[in-house]
């Protein structure tokens, strides 16, 4: 029934967490739409085990899927069930399918872990993800393969090993879909330099907790870590290496999701 400029979503038993994820799922179907705070061009509502869409003189109703399909899959089963009902409704409304189905946010492999821990075989898990979470076949296969690989890596994890995360909460601009803490560095003056100095001190202080432990993996996220000046980024990485050492690491990652922050230097 075409794209919309604005939609409103409401319903029974919607915690803030559930409401946010449902809104983000709807945004996948309507990427350019704004989220309204009251009745709007398209109104999505949930009550009595039924999702409804009303707008442009049209109306659709979609019953919720069965509960058992979402139990034992980790996370919030009722939230996943609500997302599945909304997905079915919006798929009918738009004629669209999403490659990752109802999955939004980060770490989709958590679902796979829970199912594998419960003894579900990979082939059955792929089928379940396609049928009830609406993943495209290649995405379901990829998710299960990644989860298997991650479990293999984690199986060799000693209880004293360290995984280090360093957060850089600055970005050139704030992306419309982003829910993470980030600040437009163009408006912050010397804050990035002061933050870098404070981060160097904090990393050094954390070294006292790492005595006798090996750094297994290092992840620098954000924000946009590459928003730092090259010299600042180098100082942070040098502080991590100096404090924890890189010789035992199996993985090191620096997020670089904004091409406008990446240079040869």
């Amino acid at each position: 029934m075409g794209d919309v400029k604005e939609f409103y979503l409401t319903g029974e038993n919607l915690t803030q967490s559930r409401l946010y994820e449902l809104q983000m799922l709807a945004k996948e179907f309507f990427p350019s739409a704004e989220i309204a705070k009251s009745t709007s061009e398209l109104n999505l509502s949930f009550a009595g085990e039924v999702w409804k869409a009303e707008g442009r003189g049209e109306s659709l109703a979609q019953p919720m899927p069965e509960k058992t399909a979402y139990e034992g899959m980790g996370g919030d089963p009722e939230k996943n069930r609500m997302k599945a009902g909304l997905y079915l409704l919006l798929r009918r409304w738009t004629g669209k399918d999403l490659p990752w189905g109802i999955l939004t946010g980060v770490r989709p492999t958590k679902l796979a872990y829970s199912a594998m821990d419960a003894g579900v075989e990979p082939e059955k898990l792929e089928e379940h993800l396609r049928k009830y979470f609406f993943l495209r076949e290649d995405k379901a296969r990829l998710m299960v393969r990644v989860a298997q690989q991650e479990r293999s890596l984690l199986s060799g994890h000693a209880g004293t090993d360290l995984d280090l995360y360093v957060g850089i909460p600055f970005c050139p601009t704030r992306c419309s879909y982003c829910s993470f803490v980030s600040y437009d560095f163009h408006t912050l003056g010397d804050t990035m330099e002061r933050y870098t100095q404070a981060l160097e001190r904090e990393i050094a202080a954390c070294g006292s907790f790492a005595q006798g432990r090996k750094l297994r993996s290092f992840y620098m996220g954000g924000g946009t870590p590459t928003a730092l000046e090259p010299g600042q980024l180098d100082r942070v990485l040098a502080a991590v290496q100096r404090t924890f050492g890189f010789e035992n690491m199996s993985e090191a990652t620096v997020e670089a999701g904004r091409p406008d922050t990446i240079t040869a230097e």
Side-chain angles (χ1 to χ4, degrees):
M1 299 182 190
D3 207 354
V4 299
K5 295 181 179 180
E6 191 178 69
F7 68 85
Y8 176 59
L9 194 152
T10 187
E12 299 174 346
N13 303 318
L14 290 188
T15 63
Q16 192 60 39
S17 171
R18 289 177 178 176
L19 176 61
Y20 175 79
E21 290 210 30
L22 290 164
Q23 289 172 334
M24 292 304 99
L25 178 59
K27 284 280 285 183
E28 290 293 313
F29 284 93
F30 308 112
S32 61
E34 297 292 330
I35 300 173
K37 296 182 179 180
S38 60
T39 302
S40 183
E41 177 184 358
L42 174 63
N43 300 292
L44 307 170
S45 60
F46 170 73
E49 294 287 299
V50 175
W51 274 102
K52 290 183 179 180
E54 297 175 299
R56 298 179 177 176
E58 302 285 345
S59 178
L60 277 180
Q62 175 65 51
M64 288 272 280
E66 58 187 276
K67 292 182 179 181
T68 54
Y70 304 93
E71 295 171 350
M73 291 293 289
D76 181 347
E78 187 61 18
K79 178 182 68 179
N80 289 332
R81 184 168 169 255
M82 286 181 173
K83 290 174 71 175
L86 178 61
Y87 183 95
L88 291 170
L89 178 74
L90 293 180
R91 182 169 68 178
R92 292 172 58 200
W93 186 271
T94 65
K96 294 180 183 178
D97 269 308
L98 305 178
W100 287 97
I102 71 169
L103 300 187
T104 57
V106 295
R107 292 197 63 205
T109 49
K110 289 189 293 184
L111 285 172
Y113 291 153
S114 297
M116 290 177 178
D117 289 343
V120 180
E121 294 296 323
E123 295 79 9
K124 291 290 186 183
L125 178 55
E126 285 185 30
E127 180 183 353
H128 195 88
L129 290 170
R130 294 195 305 269
K131 184 175 181 180
Y132 296 107
F133 289 78
F134 312 113
L135 273 69
R136 201 170 64 195
E137 183 175 357
D138 61 320
K139 299 303 184 185
R141 186 182 307 115
L142 175 62
M143 179 172 158
V144 172
R145 286 177 58 193
V146 169
Q148 289 175 307
Q149 183 66 21
E150 288 179 349
R151 283 164 64 88
S152 175
L153 292 171
L154 289 171
S155 66
H157 175 49
T160 57
D161 288 350
L162 297 175
D163 298 301
L164 179 66
Y165 176 84
V166 174
I168 307 297
F170 304 108
C171 289
T173 57
R174 189 180 185 90
C175 297
S176 61
Y177 59 81
C178 182
S179 61
F180 291 97
V181 176
S182 61
Y183 301 93
D184 181 348
F185 67 72
H186 297 295
T187 66
L188 295 175
D190 68 345
T191 302
M192 287 175 63
E193 174 57 28
R194 291 188 290 111
Y195 183 85
T196 301
Q197 294 174 9
L199 196 53
E200 290 178 283
R201 294 194 297 270
E202 184 175 10
I203 290 168
C206 287
S208 61
F209 301 111
Q211 295 179 1
R213 300 186 178 190
K214 298 177 181 179
L215 181 63
R216 183 186 63 164
S217 66
F218 165 65
Y219 193 100
M220 182 182 284
T224 305
T226 47
L228 294 176
E229 293 294 329
Q232 294 170 333
L233 180 59
D234 185 63
R235 283 160 49 199
V236 174
L237 293 173
V240 173
Q241 184 174 24
R242 187 168 56 247
T243 303
F244 298 97
F246 285 169
E247 58 273 10
N248 296 301
M249 280 200 312
S250 58
E251 177 185 354
T253 302
V254 176
E255 286 184 359
R258 289 288 295 263
D260 51 338
T261 65
I262 301 171
T263 66
E265 188 179 5

